[in-house]
Amino acid sequence: MPRLTRRTLLTATLAAAGGVPAAAIPVRAARADPGKTALHWLDGLPRETVGGATWGVPWARGTLPVHTPLALTAGDGTPVAVQSWPLAYWPDGSLKWTGHAIGAGGEKDRYLLAPGEPQTPDSPVTVKRQGGDIVLANGTIEIRLATRGSVPIVNLRRGGRVTASNGRLVLRLQDRPDDETVVPRQSSYQGHVERAEIEQSGPVRAVVRLSGSYRRTEAGPRRILPWTLRVCLAAGEAVRLVHSFTWDADAGRDFVRGLGLRVDVPLSDETYDRHIRFGVVGGGVWGEPVRVLTGLRRDPGAAVDAAQVQGTATPPQSAWNPQVSGSFGQLAEWNDFRLSQPSAHHFTVAKRTTPAGCWLTHAGRGRRASGFGYAGGPSGGLGFGLAEFWPRFPRALDIRGAASDRAQVTLWSWAPDAPAMDLRHYDTTAHGLDLAYEDVQAGFSTPEGIVRSDEMVLWAFAATPSRDRIAALSAALEAPPQIVADPAAYHAAGVFGRWSLPDRTTPARAALEKALDDQIAFYAGQVDQRDWYGYWNYGDVMHTYDADRHEWRYDVGGYAWDNAELGTDAMLWYAFLRSGDPAVFRLARAMTRHVSEVDTYHAGRFAGLGSRHNVSHWGDGAKEARVGESFTKRFAYYLTADELLGELLRSSLRADRTLLTVEPLREVLPPQTLAPTRLRIGPDWYALVSNWLTEWERTGDTRWRDRIVTGMTDIAGFPAGLFTGEAGGAVGFDPATGHLTNFDKGDYLGGYNLAMAFCGEQILWEALSLIDAPAFEAVFLDFARYVLAPSAEKIARYGFDFNPGAFPTIYSRVTAWAGEVLHDASLRRRGWDQFLNDPAGKPWPAAVTVSGPLVPSPVQEIPAGDIATNDAAQRGLAIISLLAIAPGEAPV
């Protein structure tokens, strides 16, 4: 076959089109002014924020020079203090994404971001080093952090008063699970700071990153669970904390009994003026004083009753009923309080007077706590919050010593009154691909290297907040207020590849849009109905349904947890970008957090890779670059400017070296010696391309671009192009240089069904929009043109027929893209036809309710047999892409 170039391909295949067309320019929504971006709150104007807000904004190529200052104004033109920083760059050096932050207070419903000098805050946030500490201040509160030692948070002050001190990270371990007959031995660890870095220094927002490890408080040198703690301060009363740890313990002998943040809270008010508060989802508040004066045999007076309920200072004792003021010292002082959320559907509040007395476990109850708590009085107190409280059970908020001069507050990310955390695989034997669709390999079902994070907030209050304000703070804690742009703004910026805005202009297109909306709403409902919650589970969905049991296959090998297989997360993010729907945003955000932390390895043997779908999130033996790829994580990073996610994205670059010892095809093909390791062009190399592309655009470092170009050049020189290699595209790979090696074996033999299945086409489209690689574009175009072509066309082109084994819905997009580039309407129609005629692409019928003796409680299911999330993800991605690439051929 003659060497293929883009020009020879276009000339040969499009003679009838009248010349050689240029690549089609994507049609994008017009932006009112590409140098300005209108912004709004995702859920509408919030009553409270959690320490302000951070977000990202995209800019069209060439629009915003790198050193352009940006100003924020409210909808009424009022300047708003804003801090801005670069997140990503276009190849020409202009800004592609910028990150922004505002403080708490005075929020407006709409904003406008545009070039200009930013407003200076009245009280700038500052960061300074004092001796061995770092001090952050905003004019209202001040937090002092240690740069070494076992007390990361030295103290939190407001107006000279210490609100909290001695903040430390606590960990309890036991040496065996709870279900054994032997009593477990427990040990205590505390987080030690080993490094401190200032990431942002104001004037609107400051961020300090502390890192270290947990060390035993008893004798012994052991260090485990490397952790980071980001401390973020903006204007207002709140400090936001983001804690993460990497699992490096032994899942067979280390069982977490408790994990949390503990602080001391000085108290000086009379115990009848000290108040405990817990927030409840939906606006409820549990609140009681430490010493209760209401409900007595003798009433103290209406003003005293009101103060006890409202949390304000009681009148002087001289104004009380003398029968109470003379003998209230006999009343109980409730010293300890505990809110426990053992499941997603129930919480309890317990309290006691002393460790020598029993807990009153019926002090309060409800369905879902918000994660907000408070301990203090009229002279001030500490508010504390743990985000994703009920979805990430078992959680707890614990207060000890509320009747003393120093209470101890613990935010338990994993509650110690719950069963110990068990990270072992669900079985000791594998159950096979043929029946259970499971690829378990010895030593591979390990959590070593995975991450989990928690977001916490500390508020330094001048007095006990009102119940109405606690309800507002609870709402902000459960659904953190997020600033976003309109869908048209994201679309016009030309980011994230090829995607469309909704098109409901014809009945058939409206039906497609409805199918997309309906399937996302169905999954959102399934999360709650099927209880897809829990510390390690929240954010994931199930892979395949069992219609016989009316249950997802939670216990069947590779059919259980989905781990974002075939782009479930990308489908959700594209759906948000084109709709702006808050519910879709939160579903996608939770999934990205889960996949980037739980399903992806960031250290150890599998660093940079992720785990294929399984009963255990990390149980499958297929450790794949496609799961950890940056492409599907960038949505959340750029939209939220989340520093931790940015850090996790960077660790995906470790996959290059990891592939030397964890080769994707090790179980399929015999060993080879022609290259340092072996991978598939798709999805493996495409995933690496997404990692390199992300690092290139984030840093401007062209070394990462050059790795992409190196591989593209190699593939362009392979005679079979993207049809190269056995087992779906096996080629050699050298992590040191990025070069790919042709083994001259198995070309055109098929098995390319998964090559593009993990957003491979989007990765290549975006890469080609940034890199001039005409020879590679030609082989990509050749692949796209013929991967779903009928036999006659393949024979005419190659001289023989072959079956690529490609799924129609997955490859409908590249087929239509070939038609777009080649100006060939018949190819664009073929792309649509392949999708519309594929049973996997058919919209699901409406969900029905199953009840009665078939199920324990009524559930919704799709009456279409054993449905699969793979189909839902690919169907959604196809609709979104095809409407962008071939809108003229869309059904009417």
Side-chain angles (χ1 to χ4, degrees):
M1 187 174 68
R3 179 175 176 78
L4 185 65
T5 67
R6 182 171 185 269
R7 178 166 294 276
T8 57
L9 173 66
L10 297 175
T11 302
T13 59
L14 260 203
V20 180
I25 299 174
V27 177
R28 297 197 175 271
R31 194 170 180 172
D33 186 336
K36 299 178 180 180
T37 301
L39 303 166
H40 63 277
W41 294 96
L42 176 66
D43 299 283
L45 182 63
R47 290 190 291 163
E48 294 278 352
T49 65
V50 182
T54 62
W55 73 97
V57 172
W59 305 93
R61 191 189 315 216
T63 298
L64 202 66
V66 67
H67 297 299
T68 305
L70 292 167
L72 186 70
T73 55
D76 60 4
T78 305
V80 178
V82 66
Q83 185 169 310
S84 304
W85 61 95
L87 294 177
Y89 306 89
W90 291 102
D92 64 4
S94 63
L95 289 168
K96 185 175 185 179
W97 283 91
T98 50
H100 307 277
I102 59 173
E107 289 79 16
K108 305 295 183 180
D109 57 349
R110 298 196 73 87
Y111 299 96
L112 183 68
L113 186 70
E117 289 301 321
Q119 175 76 8
T120 302
D122 295 334
S123 297
V125 175
T126 61
V127 183
K128 56 185 178 182
R129 292 184 180 268
Q130 290 185 350
D133 298 339
I134 297 176
V135 180
L136 297 79
N138 65 5
T140 302
I141 64 174
E142 174 187 286
I143 185 166
R144 180 179 292 269
L145 308 173
T147 58
R148 290 288 188 276
S150 60
V151 183
I153 301 174
V154 178
N155 57 54
L156 173 64
R157 294 174 175 266
R158 178 175 182 146
R161 179 186 184 276
V162 174
T163 303
S165 64
N166 200 27
R168 57 264 192 214
L169 299 170
V170 293
L171 169 69
R172 296 180 186 174
L173 290 184
Q174 63 185 47
D175 64 350
R176 62 190 69 241
D178 290 326
D179 59 355
E180 297 189 8
T181 56
V182 179
V183 177
R185 290 181 300 174
Q186 294 192 8
S187 55
S188 296
Y189 291 72
Q190 198 158 304
H192 279 244
V193 181
E194 297 163 4
R195 185 177 180 185
E197 307 165 72
I198 299 173
E199 294 186 331
Q200 290 191 1
S201 55
V204 174
R205 178 177 186 254
V207 181
V208 173
R209 180 185 184 273
L210 305 178
S211 58
S213 59
Y214 287 90
R215 304 183 191 180
R216 289 192 64 164
T217 55
E218 303 92 355
R222 191 183 187 202
R223 301 182 182 185
I224 58 171
L225 305 192
W227 56 264
T228 66
L229 180 69
R230 279 184 169 82
V231 181
C232 311
L233 180 66
E237 303 169 296
V239 178
R240 178 171 171 263
L241 309 172
V242 182
H243 171 262
S244 70
F245 69 90
T246 302
W247 181 266
D248 68 345
D250 184 344
R253 68 182 184 93
D254 292 314
F255 300 83
V256 172
R257 190 75 208 192
L259 177 70
L261 171 70
R262 177 172 292 155
V263 298
D264 295 340
V265 182
L267 299 170
S268 58
D269 297 301
E270 293 286 350
T271 54
Y272 53 73
D273 276 339
R274 299 182 192 180
H275 293 271
I276 307 301
R277 298 285 187 263
F278 295 123
V280 179
V281 171
V285 176
W286 186 95
E288 291 189 1
V290 171
R291 172 171 270 161
V292 181
L293 300 178
T294 63
L296 303 177
R297 187 177 184 188
R298 308 288 182 235
D299 189 84
V304 176
D305 291 341
Q308 285 247 302
V309 172
Q310 294 166 6
T312 56
T314 56
Q317 292 180 21
S318 61
W320 298 10
N321 179 342
Q323 291 178 298
V324 176
S325 62
S327 56
F328 74 88
Q330 302 173 17
L331 298 174
E333 289 182 314
W334 298 98
N335 200 50
D336 302 335
F337 297 80
R338 182 180 65 214
L339 182 147
S340 299
Q341 181 87 50
S343 77
H345 307 289
H346 181 64
F347 74 83
T348 60
V349 178
K351 67 180 187 179
R352 69 181 181 182
T353 57
T354 169
C358 71
W359 286 94
L360 302 189
T361 57
H362 50 283
R365 82 291 311 157
R367 188 162 185 251
R368 290 169 173 171
S370 69
F372 176 89
Y374 170 81
S379 63
L382 179 72
F384 45 94
L386 181 56
E388 293 184 335
F389 191 76
W390 62 267
R392 295 266 305 278
F393 72 88
R395 307 281 217 185
L397 300 176
D398 188 275
I399 303 167
R400 303 293 172 100
S404 70
D405 61 359
R406 185 171 297 272
Q408 187 181 84
V409 169
T410 308
L411 293 77
W412 288 111
S413 300
W414 185 279
D417 56 351
M421 182 189 296
D422 191 344
L423 302 188
R424 296 173 298 173
H425 189 48
Y426 78 99
D427 204 348
T428 56
T429 61
H431 300 287
L433 275 168
D434 288 343
L435 294 180
Y437 197 34
E438 183 174 73
D439 181 17
V440 168
Q441 300 166 37
F444 277 51
S445 299
T446 174
E448 183 180 357
I450 67 172
V451 166
R452 206 54 170 140
S453 70
D454 288 293
E455 296 188 15
M456 296 168 280
V457 185
L458 300 179
W459 287 269
F461 289 120
T464 302
S466 69
R467 289 173 179 263
D468 283 344
R469 189 173 183 211
I470 290 173
L473 291 168
S474 290
L477 189 63
E478 187 184 4
Q482 178 70 44
I483 292 177
V484 295
D486 295 324
Y490 295 126
H491 191 262
V495 292
F496 300 135
R498 303 296 304 280
W499 53 279
S500 60
L501 293 174
D503 183 354
R504 298 182 177 88
T505 56
T506 70
R509 296 175 194 183
L512 290 174
E513 297 288 354
K514 184 177 185 301
L516 179 60
D517 294 343
D518 287 351
Q519 72 178 26
I520 293 174
F522 172 72
Y523 275 93
Q526 292 291 288
V527 170
D528 202 55
Q529 283 188 14
R530 309 290 179 166
D531 210 29
W532 294 339
Y533 297 119
Y535 188 79
W536 293 103
N537 297 336
Y538 181 58
D540 207 349
V541 299
M542 286 283 165
H543 186 284
T544 303
Y545 198 67
D546 183 347
D548 294 317
R549 285 192 287 174
H550 304 287
E551 181 59 84
W552 293 84
R553 303 183 195 178
Y554 68 93
D555 57 351
V556 184
Y559 290 117
W561 290 116
D562 187 59
N563 290 18
E565 181 78 352
L566 299 201
T568 314
D569 47 356
M571 183 270 291
L572 291 174
W573 279 118
Y574 281 124
F576 164 72
L577 288 172
R578 61 204 305 268
S579 70
D581 188 320
V584 179
F585 178 94
R586 305 216 181 272
L587 195 62
R589 183 70 183 91
M591 184 171 291
T592 294
R593 177 172 282 135
H594 184 277
V595 176
S596 62
E597 295 178 2
V598 181
D599 300 336
T600 302
Y601 294 96
H602 299 278
R605 178 184 182 187
F606 304 120
L609 307 181
S611 296
R612 175 182 174 269
H613 39 97
N614 191 257
V615 172
S616 304
H617 295 290
W618 46 83
D620 202 83
K623 307 303 182 185
E624 301 277 346
R626 74 198 196 201
V627 180
E629 71 180 23
S630 295
F631 184 85
T632 53
K633 321 299 185 300
R634 312 155 69 220
F635 297 97
Y637 173 63
Y638 289 137
L639 289 169
T640 66
D642 181 328
E643 287 92 355
L644 175 60
L645 183 53
E647 185 177 308
L648 298 180
L649 276 173
R650 188 152 282 143
S651 71
S652 68
L653 296 167
R654 301 183 65 181
D656 295 14
R657 304 291 301 179
T658 299
L659 291 174
L660 287 171
T661 54
V662 188
E663 182 192 303
L665 296 169
R666 63 191 178 279
E667 297 289 305
V668 178
L669 298 176
Q672 57 81 34
T673 58
L674 297 179
T677 190
R678 177 173 50 195
L679 48 66
R680 296 157 295 186
I681 296 176
D684 306 319
W685 182 73
Y686 298 155
L688 301 185
V689 168
S690 85
N691 300 340
W692 303 332
L693 186 152
T694 302
E695 187 66 7
W696 170 36
E697 68 182 3
R698 289 179 65 186
T699 64
D701 187 341
T702 55
R703 290 180 303 161
W704 303 105
R705 175 205 62 194
D706 294 344
R707 290 179 76 82
I708 300 172
V709 172
T710 295
M712 286 182 168
T713 302
D714 291 337
I715 292 171
F718 296 165
L722 292 180
F723 289 118
T724 295
E726 60 183 332
V731 295
F733 174 60
D734 185 351
T737 64
H739 274 294
L740 302 176
T741 301
N742 187 358
F743 293 140
D744 294 317
K745 185 185 299 183
D747 296 352
Y748 302 103
L749 291 183
Y752 308 104
N753 54 310
L754 294 182
M756 294 289 173
F758 302 87
C759 298
E761 76 286 353
Q762 292 282 12
I763 293 168
L764 294 184
W765 289 336
E766 188 162 1
L768 287 171
S769 74
L770 304 173
I771 295 171
D772 183 23
F776 176 80
E777 186 178 359
V779 298
F780 180 26
L781 191 57
D782 185 58
F783 178 89
R785 167 69 178 81
Y786 291 101
V787 68
L788 292 180
S791 296
E793 293 182 16
K794 285 182 287 186
I795 292 171
R797 166 69 181 89
Y798 302 103
F800 56 88
D801 192 14
F802 61 97
N803 179 13
F807 296 146
T809 293
I810 295 175
Y811 287 87
S812 62
R813 288 98 80 179
V814 294
T815 299
W817 173 76
E820 179 192 43
V821 174
L822 299 172
H823 292 190
D824 188 338
S826 66
L827 276 178
R828 297 195 295 271
R829 283 193 296 273
R830 178 183 294 168
W832 272 107
D833 290 343
Q834 290 284 346
F835 166 61
L836 295 172
N837 295 324
D838 182 4
K842 299 292 185 183
W844 288 337
V848 298
T849 299
V850 179
S851 60
L854 292 174
V855 289
S857 59
V859 294
Q860 293 276 302
E861 71 177 23
I862 301 296
D866 296 341
I867 62 168
T869 301
N870 281 358
D871 293 339
Q874 287 297 316
R875 178 167 55 246
L877 290 169
I879 292 170
I880 292 167
S881 291
L882 286 170
L883 285 172
I885 296 165
E889 289 69 38
V892 296

